[in-house]
Amino acid sequence: NPAMNIPIQFVDFHDETLLKSAIDTRSQGSTSKSNRLLWLETPTNPTLKISDIHSISKIAHANDCLLAVDNTFCSPYFQSPLDLGADL
């Protein structure tokens, strides 16, 4: 959100190399990583793509990022993001 000075970047979580590259990007003129939170929607709307929450949580935590999972279309009965390593 530009008004709040919060950079947002959209990344395909199915491409592990692209995801790692996006996490490693740094703010212009900064020595710290700009990414602190990964927001994952799984299953996605409207295509219903499923992401590997466990693998993505390992990547997030290895890079000092929190992982938030929006699984609105899949109740905790069928998918438990917290049990798979998500933080939120």
Side-chain angles (χ1 to χ4, degrees):
N1 182 333
M4 299 177 79
N5 198 24
I6 300 173
I8 298 171
Q9 182 178 6
F10 293 95
V11 178
D12 182 355
F13 279 67
H14 294 96
D15 185 335
E16 189 173 305
T17 303
L18 185 61
L19 175 60
K20 288 178 181 179
S21 175
I23 291 172
D24 196 41
T25 59
R26 299 180 189 277
S27 298
Q28 220 173 25
S30 174
T31 57
S32 64
K33 291 182 181 178
S34 61
N35 298 295
R36 297 286 180 233
L37 173 70
L38 303 182
W39 184 275
L40 170 65
E41 180 185 27
T42 184
T44 61
N45 178 14
T47 61
L48 300 178
K49 286 184 177 179
I50 304 292
S51 296
D52 184 348
I53 298 170
H54 183 68
S55 293
I56 294 168
S57 72
K58 286 183 175 182
I59 294 169
H61 296 147
N63 288 278
D64 297 323
C65 294
L66 295 175
L67 176 63
V69 177
D70 173 0
N71 69 330
T72 302
F73 285 163
C74 199
S75 75
Y77 180 80
F78 295 108
Q79 184 183 55
S80 300
L82 298 179
D83 292 341
L84 297 170
D87 300 295
L88 305 167

